[in-house]
Amino acid sequence: MNTQLSLSIALATYNGERYLAEQLDSIIRQTRLPDELVISDDASVDATRAIVLDFARHASFPVRLLINSERLGSTRNFEVAISACDGDIIFLCDQDDVWYPNKIALIEKRFMDDPGVGVVFTDADVVDRNLHPLGLRLWEAVRFRPWEQIRFEAGDAFSVLLRRYVVTGATMAFRSRYRDLLLPIPDIWVHDAWIAMLMGATSNLAALPTPLIAYRQHGANQIGIPRPGQNRGRTCAAVHGPQVLRYEKALEHLLELGNRFPESGHNIQRLEGTLNFLRAIAALPDARWRRLPGALRELVTLRYHRYAKGFRSFYQDLTR
Protein backbone atom coordinates (compact mmCIF):
# COMPACT_ATOMS: atom_id res chain seq x y z
CA MET A 1 0.00 0.00 0.00
CA ASN A 2 1.30 3.45 -0.92
CA THR A 3 1.30 5.60 2.20
CA GLN A 4 2.98 8.56 0.54
CA LEU A 5 1.31 11.88 1.16
CA SER A 6 0.46 14.42 -1.53
CA LEU A 7 2.51 17.56 -1.03
CA SER A 8 1.78 21.15 -2.04
CA ILE A 9 4.00 24.21 -1.83
CA ALA A 10 2.36 27.59 -1.24
CA LEU A 11 4.74 30.29 -2.47
CA ALA A 12 3.89 33.98 -2.10
CA THR A 13 5.71 36.40 -4.41
CA TYR A 14 5.97 40.16 -4.77
CA ASN A 15 8.61 41.84 -6.89
CA GLY A 16 10.87 38.88 -6.26
CA GLU A 17 12.96 38.83 -9.42
CA ARG A 18 16.28 39.20 -7.58
CA TYR A 19 16.17 35.92 -5.62
CA LEU A 20 13.19 33.95 -6.92
CA ALA A 21 15.06 31.91 -9.55
CA GLU A 22 17.42 30.54 -6.89
CA GLN A 23 14.49 29.50 -4.71
CA LEU A 24 12.70 27.80 -7.60
CA ASP A 25 15.91 26.03 -8.59
CA SER A 26 16.26 24.69 -5.04
CA ILE A 27 12.71 23.29 -5.21
CA ILE A 28 13.33 21.44 -8.45
CA ARG A 29 16.47 19.90 -6.91
CA GLN A 30 14.58 18.30 -4.03
CA THR A 31 15.13 14.57 -3.51
CA ARG A 32 11.37 14.34 -3.00
CA LEU A 33 9.64 16.61 -5.49
CA PRO A 34 6.33 18.28 -4.59
CA ASP A 35 3.10 17.18 -6.21
CA GLU A 36 2.28 20.78 -7.03
CA LEU A 37 3.61 24.31 -6.61
CA VAL A 38 1.03 27.06 -6.14
CA ILE A 39 2.37 30.59 -6.55
CA SER A 40 0.30 33.63 -5.64
CA ASP A 41 1.78 36.83 -7.02
CA ASP A 42 0.83 40.06 -5.30
CA ALA A 43 0.62 42.38 -8.31
CA SER A 44 4.35 42.41 -9.02
CA VAL A 45 5.65 45.00 -11.47
CA ASP A 46 9.03 43.39 -12.15
CA ALA A 47 10.01 40.14 -13.91
CA THR A 48 8.59 37.85 -11.22
CA ARG A 49 5.79 36.42 -13.36
CA ALA A 50 8.09 35.84 -16.34
CA ILE A 51 10.49 33.90 -14.10
CA VAL A 52 7.63 31.75 -12.80
CA LEU A 53 6.22 31.05 -16.27
CA ASP A 54 9.63 30.07 -17.59
CA PHE A 55 10.13 27.75 -14.61
CA ALA A 56 6.70 26.19 -15.12
CA ARG A 57 7.55 25.22 -18.69
CA HIS A 58 10.44 23.04 -17.50
CA ALA A 59 9.16 21.75 -14.13
CA SER A 60 8.28 18.06 -13.83
CA PHE A 61 5.34 18.84 -11.51
CA PRO A 62 2.30 21.12 -11.92
CA VAL A 63 2.94 24.82 -11.31
CA ARG A 64 -0.03 27.16 -10.93
CA LEU A 65 0.40 30.92 -11.00
CA LEU A 66 -2.32 33.04 -9.41
CA ILE A 67 -2.16 36.78 -9.95
CA ASN A 68 -3.76 39.31 -7.61
CA SER A 69 -5.28 42.26 -9.44
CA GLU A 70 -4.21 44.55 -6.60
CA ARG A 71 -1.78 44.27 -3.69
CA LEU A 72 -3.11 42.26 -0.77
CA GLY A 73 -0.02 42.23 1.44
CA SER A 74 2.04 39.24 2.49
CA THR A 75 -0.46 37.59 4.85
CA ARG A 76 -3.43 37.80 2.49
CA ASN A 77 -1.23 36.71 -0.39
CA PHE A 78 -0.23 33.58 1.50
CA GLU A 79 -3.89 33.00 2.27
CA VAL A 80 -4.66 32.95 -1.45
CA ALA A 81 -1.88 30.43 -2.11
CA ILE A 82 -2.86 28.21 0.83
CA SER A 83 -6.52 28.20 -0.25
CA ALA A 84 -5.58 26.90 -3.70
CA CYS A 85 -3.42 23.97 -2.55
CA ASP A 86 -4.75 20.43 -3.08
CA GLY A 87 -2.15 18.40 -1.16
CA ASP A 88 -2.39 16.59 2.17
CA ILE A 89 0.54 18.69 3.40
CA ILE A 90 1.09 22.38 2.61
CA PHE A 91 4.63 23.75 2.71
CA LEU A 92 4.97 27.51 3.13
CA CYS A 93 7.67 29.05 0.97
CA ASP A 94 9.23 32.52 0.86
CA GLN A 95 10.54 33.86 -2.44
CA ASP A 96 14.01 34.79 -1.23
CA ASP A 97 15.32 31.69 0.57
CA VAL A 98 16.99 28.50 -0.67
CA TRP A 99 15.81 25.02 0.31
CA TYR A 100 18.30 22.25 0.98
CA PRO A 101 17.77 19.14 -1.18
CA ASN A 102 16.35 16.91 1.59
CA LYS A 103 13.91 19.43 3.08
CA ILE A 104 10.70 18.02 1.62
CA ALA A 105 11.70 14.40 2.18
CA LEU A 106 12.60 14.84 5.85
CA ILE A 107 9.49 16.83 6.68
CA GLU A 108 7.24 14.36 4.87
CA LYS A 109 8.83 11.52 6.86
CA ARG A 110 8.07 13.31 10.14
CA PHE A 111 4.41 13.64 9.18
CA MET A 112 4.24 10.01 8.11
CA ASP A 113 5.92 8.79 11.30
CA ASP A 114 3.37 10.54 13.54
CA PRO A 115 -0.21 11.06 12.27
CA GLY A 116 -0.91 13.21 15.36
CA VAL A 117 1.51 15.93 14.25
CA GLY A 118 -0.26 18.85 12.60
CA VAL A 119 2.75 21.10 11.94
CA VAL A 120 6.42 20.44 11.28
CA PHE A 121 8.98 23.25 11.30
CA THR A 122 12.77 23.25 11.28
CA ASP A 123 15.89 25.18 12.06
CA ALA A 124 17.66 27.15 9.33
CA ASP A 125 21.05 28.61 8.49
CA VAL A 126 20.98 32.42 8.54
CA VAL A 127 22.79 33.79 5.48
CA ASP A 128 23.38 37.17 3.86
CA ARG A 129 22.04 38.31 0.49
CA ASN A 130 24.75 36.35 -1.30
CA LEU A 131 24.05 33.17 0.71
CA HIS A 132 27.20 33.59 2.79
CA PRO A 133 26.69 32.16 6.31
CA LEU A 134 26.28 34.76 9.06
CA GLY A 135 27.50 32.38 11.74
CA LEU A 136 24.22 31.59 13.47
CA ARG A 137 21.18 29.40 13.18
CA LEU A 138 17.61 30.64 13.07
CA TRP A 139 16.65 29.00 16.37
CA GLU A 140 19.62 30.71 17.99
CA ALA A 141 18.50 34.05 16.55
CA VAL A 142 14.93 33.67 17.87
CA ARG A 143 16.22 32.17 21.16
CA PHE A 144 14.33 28.91 20.82
CA ARG A 145 15.85 27.28 23.89
CA PRO A 146 16.51 23.54 24.36
CA TRP A 147 13.97 23.34 27.21
CA GLU A 148 11.37 24.88 24.91
CA GLN A 149 12.20 22.34 22.21
CA ILE A 150 11.61 19.61 24.80
CA ARG A 151 8.18 21.10 25.50
CA PHE A 152 7.34 20.83 21.80
CA GLU A 153 8.45 17.20 21.66
CA ALA A 154 6.38 16.47 24.78
CA GLY A 155 3.25 17.76 23.02
CA ASP A 156 3.08 21.08 24.91
CA ALA A 157 4.05 23.58 22.23
CA PHE A 158 1.22 25.89 23.27
CA SER A 159 2.87 26.81 26.57
CA VAL A 160 5.83 28.16 24.59
CA LEU A 161 3.77 29.86 21.90
CA LEU A 162 1.71 31.72 24.48
CA ARG A 163 4.89 33.49 25.60
CA ARG A 164 6.37 34.26 22.19
CA TYR A 165 6.67 33.20 18.57
CA VAL A 166 9.36 30.68 17.69
CA VAL A 167 7.93 29.15 14.49
CA THR A 168 9.13 30.74 11.26
CA GLY A 169 6.81 30.25 8.30
CA ALA A 170 9.63 29.76 5.80
CA THR A 171 10.46 26.47 7.57
CA MET A 172 6.86 25.34 8.19
CA ALA A 173 4.53 22.74 6.75
CA PHE A 174 1.08 21.74 8.02
CA ARG A 175 -1.72 19.28 7.31
CA SER A 176 -4.31 20.74 4.96
CA ARG A 177 -7.18 19.18 6.91
CA TYR A 178 -6.75 22.06 9.38
CA ARG A 179 -7.17 24.71 6.69
CA ASP A 180 -10.73 25.57 7.71
CA LEU A 181 -9.44 26.25 11.21
CA LEU A 182 -6.76 28.60 9.91
CA LEU A 183 -8.52 30.61 7.21
CA PRO A 184 -9.27 33.44 6.94
CA ILE A 185 -6.24 34.97 8.66
CA PRO A 186 -7.04 38.19 10.57
CA ASP A 187 -5.30 41.32 9.31
CA ILE A 188 -3.73 41.96 12.74
CA TRP A 189 -1.84 38.64 12.61
CA VAL A 190 1.15 37.56 10.53
CA HIS A 191 0.28 34.33 8.73
CA ASP A 192 2.89 32.05 10.31
CA ALA A 193 2.26 33.24 13.87
CA TRP A 194 -1.49 32.74 13.44
CA ILE A 195 -1.03 29.25 12.02
CA ALA A 196 1.37 28.22 14.78
CA MET A 197 -0.87 29.61 17.54
CA LEU A 198 -4.06 27.88 16.37
CA MET A 199 -2.31 24.64 15.52
CA GLY A 200 -0.58 24.68 18.90
CA ALA A 201 -3.99 24.92 20.55
CA THR A 202 -5.50 22.04 18.59
CA SER A 203 -2.70 19.65 17.55
CA ASN A 204 0.95 18.70 18.06
CA LEU A 205 3.84 20.64 16.55
CA ALA A 206 7.10 18.88 15.69
CA ALA A 207 10.36 20.85 15.78
CA LEU A 208 13.16 19.39 13.64
CA PRO A 209 16.55 20.72 14.80
CA THR A 210 18.14 20.14 11.38
CA PRO A 211 18.62 23.33 9.32
CA LEU A 212 16.79 22.67 6.05
CA ILE A 213 16.88 26.09 4.40
CA ALA A 214 19.24 29.00 3.91
CA TYR A 215 17.27 31.85 5.49
CA ARG A 216 18.36 34.90 3.52
CA GLN A 217 18.73 38.30 5.20
CA HIS A 218 19.02 41.04 2.59
CA GLY A 219 17.81 44.25 4.19
CA ALA A 220 14.35 44.17 2.63
CA ASN A 221 12.88 41.21 4.52
CA GLN A 222 9.34 41.77 5.70
CA ILE A 223 10.25 40.41 9.14
CA GLY A 224 13.57 38.54 9.20
CA ILE A 225 15.44 37.70 12.38
CA PRO A 226 14.63 39.68 15.55
CA ARG A 227 16.49 42.95 16.11
CA PRO A 228 17.93 43.46 19.63
CA GLY A 229 16.40 46.41 21.47
CA GLN A 230 13.55 46.88 19.02
CA ASN A 231 11.11 47.66 21.89
CA ARG A 232 13.45 49.96 23.79
CA GLY A 233 11.79 53.25 24.73
CA ARG A 234 8.27 52.07 23.91
CA THR A 235 5.48 52.10 26.49
CA CYS A 236 3.91 48.92 27.83
CA ALA A 237 0.72 49.81 26.00
CA ALA A 238 2.60 50.10 22.70
CA VAL A 239 4.44 46.80 23.21
CA HIS A 240 1.67 44.65 24.69
CA GLY A 241 -1.47 46.34 23.37
CA PRO A 242 -1.24 44.83 19.87
CA GLN A 243 -0.61 41.42 21.41
CA VAL A 244 -3.80 41.79 23.45
CA LEU A 245 -5.77 42.45 20.26
CA ARG A 246 -4.20 39.46 18.51
CA TYR A 247 -4.87 37.10 21.40
CA GLU A 248 -8.45 38.33 21.70
CA LYS A 249 -8.97 37.48 18.04
CA ALA A 250 -7.42 34.02 18.52
CA LEU A 251 -9.58 33.35 21.58
CA GLU A 252 -12.73 34.45 19.76
CA HIS A 253 -11.87 32.15 16.85
CA LEU A 254 -11.15 29.12 19.04
CA LEU A 255 -14.35 29.61 21.01
CA GLU A 256 -16.35 29.72 17.78
CA LEU A 257 -14.81 26.42 16.65
CA GLY A 258 -14.66 24.78 20.08
CA ASN A 259 -17.14 22.00 19.20
CA ARG A 260 -14.96 20.90 16.29
CA PHE A 261 -11.79 20.81 18.40
CA PRO A 262 -12.84 19.72 21.90
CA GLU A 263 -9.22 18.91 22.75
CA SER A 264 -8.48 22.65 22.69
CA GLY A 265 -10.56 23.34 25.84
CA HIS A 266 -7.60 23.31 28.24
CA ASN A 267 -5.55 25.51 25.91
CA ILE A 268 -8.41 27.98 25.63
CA GLN A 269 -8.28 28.39 29.41
CA ARG A 270 -4.52 28.96 29.22
CA LEU A 271 -5.03 31.55 26.48
CA GLU A 272 -7.60 33.34 28.65
CA GLY A 273 -5.11 33.44 31.53
CA THR A 274 -2.37 34.83 29.29
CA LEU A 275 -4.75 37.40 27.87
CA ASN A 276 -5.72 38.65 31.33
CA PHE A 277 -2.04 39.01 32.21
CA LEU A 278 -1.27 40.92 29.00
CA ARG A 279 -4.20 43.25 29.57
CA ALA A 280 -2.85 44.08 33.03
CA ILE A 281 0.66 44.73 31.69
CA ALA A 282 -0.58 46.79 28.74
CA ALA A 283 -2.46 49.00 31.23
CA LEU A 284 0.68 49.88 33.22
CA PRO A 285 1.27 53.67 33.29
CA ASP A 286 3.61 55.29 30.77
CA ALA A 287 5.73 56.84 33.54
CA ARG A 288 8.29 54.26 34.64
CA TRP A 289 8.13 55.06 38.34
CA ARG A 290 4.36 54.53 38.35
CA ARG A 291 4.60 51.04 36.83
CA LEU A 292 6.17 49.40 39.87
CA PRO A 293 3.04 48.63 41.98
CA GLY A 294 1.17 46.98 39.11
CA ALA A 295 4.20 45.10 37.83
CA LEU A 296 5.02 43.87 41.35
CA ARG A 297 1.48 42.58 41.73
CA GLU A 298 1.91 40.48 38.59
CA LEU A 299 5.30 39.28 39.83
CA VAL A 300 4.27 38.16 43.33
CA THR A 301 1.26 36.29 41.94
CA LEU A 302 3.75 34.47 39.67
CA ARG A 303 1.92 35.55 36.52
CA TYR A 304 5.17 36.89 35.07
CA HIS A 305 6.59 33.40 35.45
CA ARG A 306 3.47 31.65 34.23
CA TYR A 307 2.74 33.83 31.20
CA ALA A 308 6.03 35.55 30.35
CA LYS A 309 9.76 35.15 30.99
CA GLY A 310 9.71 35.73 34.74
CA PHE A 311 12.10 38.31 36.21
CA ARG A 312 13.46 39.15 32.77
CA SER A 313 10.06 40.30 31.51
CA PHE A 314 9.37 42.09 34.79
CA TYR A 315 12.60 44.06 34.43
CA GLN A 316 11.92 44.86 30.79
CA ASP A 317 8.46 46.22 31.54
CA LEU A 318 9.84 48.45 34.31
CA THR A 319 12.75 49.86 32.32
CA ARG A 320 11.66 49.98 28.67
Side-chain angles (χ1 to χ4, degrees):
M1 182 177 66
N2 182 13
T3 58
Q4 191 176 59
L5 299 166
S6 60
L7 310 180
S8 299
I9 297 176
L11 170 56
T13 61
Y14 172 67
N15 288 349
E17 63 179 5
R18 184 168 185 179
Y19 305 116
L20 179 59
E22 286 180 296
Q23 176 64 292
L24 293 173
D25 184 63
S26 75
I27 292 174
I28 209 168
R29 293 177 183 274
Q30 292 293 300
T31 59
R32 193 321 193 176
L33 292 173
D35 295 290
E36 67 170 354
L37 170 61
V38 177
I39 300 174
S40 180
D41 183 68
D42 205 19
S44 292
V45 295
D46 65 356
T48 293
R49 296 178 202 171
I51 293 171
V52 171
L53 293 174
D54 181 66
F55 175 81
R57 282 192 289 269
H58 302 94
S60 58
F61 46 83
V63 178
R64 283 186 283 154
L65 174 61
L66 312 174
I67 300 174
N68 302 329
S69 59
E70 59 182 12
R71 279 214 65 197
L72 301 179
S74 174
T75 293
R76 292 279 306 284
N77 195 28
F78 264 110
E79 186 176 307
V80 171
I82 291 168
S83 298
C85 288
D86 293 327
D88 300 315
I89 305 297
I90 300 174
F91 288 72
L92 300 185
C93 183
D94 288 354
Q95 66 183 5
D96 45 9
D97 300 322
V98 169
W99 288 12
Y100 297 159
N102 59 344
K103 172 185 165 74
I104 292 180
L106 290 179
I107 290 178
E108 180 188 33
K109 183 178 186 304
R110 186 66 180 87
F111 278 114
M112 293 177 67
D113 288 345
D114 189 347
V117 167
V119 170
V120 176
F121 69 104
T122 79
D123 204 351
D125 291 317
V126 182
V127 300
D128 68 12
R129 68 184 64 208
N130 298 313
L131 300 179
H132 297 145
L134 293 178
L136 78 163
R137 297 268 181 87
L138 176 59
W139 287 5
E140 178 187 355
V142 301
R143 297 181 178 178
F144 186 29
R145 307 299 190 192
W147 69 266
E148 294 173 318
Q149 297 170 36
I150 292 173
R151 287 279 183 89
F152 271 73
E153 287 305 309
D156 188 24
F158 199 59
S159 65
V160 178
L161 295 170
L162 282 173
R163 290 174 169 85
R164 59 197 189 86
Y165 308 132
V166 295
V167 182
T168 300
T171 74
M172 176 196 293
F174 62 93
R175 294 189 190 272
S176 62
R177 69 170 181 254
Y178 289 95
R179 181 163 38 197
D180 290 345
L181 164 70
L182 304 173
L183 302 183
I185 304 171
D187 292 337
I188 58 176
W189 277 85
V190 178
H191 67 281
D192 52 2
W194 172 258
I195 292 171
M197 175 65 71
L198 292 187
M199 294 294 285
T202 57
S203 72
N204 292 330
L205 278 68
L208 296 186
T210 306
L212 293 181
I213 73 169
Y215 188 52
R216 196 192 307 253
Q217 304 298 292
H218 48 74
N221 303 79
Q222 183 188 17
I223 296 178
I225 61 175
R227 300 183 305 276
Q230 59 186 353
N231 287 325
R232 188 173 296 122
R234 302 177 67 204
T235 65
C236 289
V239 172
H240 299 294
Q243 188 77 321
V244 169
L245 296 177
R246 287 191 288 267
Y247 279 23
E248 286 176 342
K249 180 62 69 174
L251 177 60
E252 174 187 342
H253 191 68
L254 287 170
L255 288 172
E256 290 175 352
L257 298 173
N259 292 335
R260 290 179 53 193
F261 299 95
E263 67 276 15
S264 67
H266 175 60
N267 287 330
I268 287 175
Q269 293 177 354
R270 298 162 81 184
L271 177 56
E272 289 173 330
T274 304
L275 187 52
N276 289 333
F277 166 74
L278 288 172
R279 286 170 176 151
I281 298 304
L284 292 176
D286 292 350
R288 291 180 179 177
W289 63 272
R290 294 181 58 203
R291 298 176 196 167
L292 183 59
L296 272 176
R297 183 166 54 250
E298 299 302 313
L299 183 67
V300 298
T301 57
L302 299 181
R303 297 213 296 175
Y304 263 111
H305 291 79
R306 191 175 301 119
Y307 303 119
K309 303 172 189 175
F311 286 105
R312 179 181 176 186
S313 296
F314 170 73
Y315 176 78
Q316 289 174 338
D317 286 332
L318 283 182
T319 60
R320 67 171 80 254

